Amino acid sequence: MNRLSLNQWTTRRWSLPEAADGCARHGLQAIGVWREQLAECGLAAGVRAVRAAGLRVSSLCRGGFLTAGGALDDNRRAIDEAAELDAACLVLVVGGLPGVPPGAPPPAAFSRDLPGARARVAEALAALVPYAAERGVRLALEPLHPMYCADRAVLSTLGQALDLAGHHPADRVGVVVDAFHVWWDPALPAQLTRAGASGRLASYQVSDWPQPLPPDVLLGRAMMGDGVIDLPALTAAVLAAGYTGDIEVEIFNAEVWSADPDEVLTTMKRRYREMLAGQA
């Protein structure tokens, strides 16, 4: 179980101190921290809770939304938080079309310029890399499934994320492989090889794709084994490409969130043992 990490959003009901304590009680060694819960308890208290539980931080989620106004200031704050937590990376969800709010209908005026949005992401990333480098923080670009392109991420494939990351040193900008977002991509095997060869694999997150998806597709991530993704094969491919970090379980699901978090961790550990531990 030494590579299994709980992403906080999986047990959203828990505060950061509660999640850190839960990880320790369940024998986990790593946690993926979310900035919302970190803000609720305060940075210093959050760092103390993680340290007291003996955990490493597999990721800080999230910075990004680089297509929105004021993004650089918020991302600098996120970089500072990642540095204090000694997080393995700061995950960047880069943002959608300018003016389109996440999860809501577009307003009367917004930009349909998709190439322009991607250019804005590249410019903002270039501005953030030196700041992150000074603080020893690695930025990790996360491509999201194309259904989120309009409002959350104009990077939709691992290949696109690698193209953008390639303008910067590998130890400064890596990529996130999130099973839910990339499993469908026919180019994924070749892009995993490319990511490994270039030293860009910064984070690996797992959940499953239920069929059918719920009406709110943001909450469509299922517990491993409750969907259609061949997670053992995908995990084997990620590790064969050279990934050596934690395997982080990140689930957005209303039923999982409403369940007892201790029961969620118990199920998560069992599914990890059954499906992924043999690969790790």
Side-chain angles (χ1 to χ4, degrees):
M1 306 294 290
N2 63 334
R3 298 183 72 172
L4 177 61
S5 175
L6 170 71
N7 183 288
Q8 263 197 284
W9 223 237
T10 302
T11 53
R12 191 175 174 183
R13 289 166 50 188
W14 270 345
S15 67
L16 178 52
E18 289 171 335
D21 177 70
C23 286
R25 287 188 287 103
H26 283 266
L28 273 62
Q29 299 179 20
I31 187 170
V33 174
W34 269 73
R35 295 182 68 207
E36 284 83 349
Q37 282 96 334
L38 182 61
E40 287 173 2
C41 70
L43 178 57
V47 171
R48 286 196 300 271
V50 170
R51 298 288 183 269
L55 302 173
R56 60 183 175 270
V57 177
S58 54
S59 73
L60 177 62
C61 295
R62 55 177 166 60
F65 286 87
L66 303 175
T67 58
L72 292 181
D73 287 342
D74 183 63
N75 277 279
R76 291 187 186 104
R77 288 190 292 270
I79 289 167
D80 292 339
E81 293 162 4
E84 290 294 322
L85 288 163
D86 194 23
C89 65
L90 171 64
V91 173
L92 299 182
V93 174
V94 298
L97 294 172
V100 179
F110 68 95
S111 172
R112 289 183 168 85
D113 183 3
L114 181 55
R118 290 173 176 150
R120 184 180 293 194
V121 169
E123 292 170 3
L125 180 65
L128 290 172
V129 168
Y131 188 87
E134 290 174 356
R135 288 149 183 80
V137 172
R138 191 182 196 192
L139 306 177
L141 299 169
E142 181 174 7
L144 268 57
H145 190 281
M147 64 184 170
Y148 301 112
C149 185
D151 63 341
R152 287 185 169 86
V154 294
L155 295 181
S156 301
T157 68
L158 185 57
Q160 287 177 313
L162 287 168
D163 288 344
L164 181 55
H167 295 286
H168 307 281
D171 62 344
R172 298 277 61 93
V173 182
V175 295
V176 181
V177 177
D178 185 317
F180 179 85
H181 291 302
V182 302
W183 72 276
W184 59 273
D185 186 357
L188 182 59
Q191 296 304 322
L192 284 174
T193 300
R194 177 187 172 199
S198 59
R200 299 282 176 182
L201 293 169
S203 177
Y204 178 45
Q205 297 177 335
V206 295
S207 61
D208 216 330
W209 181 288
Q211 183 59 34
L213 288 171
D216 185 349
V217 294
L218 183 65
L219 306 186
R221 304 189 195 196
M223 181 65 70
M224 300 91 72
D226 290 345
V228 301
I229 302 175
D230 189 348
L231 287 167
L234 177 55
T235 301
V238 170
L239 300 183
Y243 180 68
T244 59
D246 294 308
I247 298 174
E248 188 177 285
V249 178
E250 183 186 56
I251 298 174
F252 291 47
N253 184 295
E255 291 184 5
V256 172
W257 289 347
S258 66
D260 181 340
D262 280 297
E263 293 181 3
V264 171
L265 260 68
T266 297
T267 301
M268 184 182 86
K269 291 192 299 180
R270 184 176 70 252
R271 299 291 177 85
Y272 177 83
R273 285 193 298 266
E274 293 170 351
M275 302 181 67
L276 306 180
Q279 312 301 326

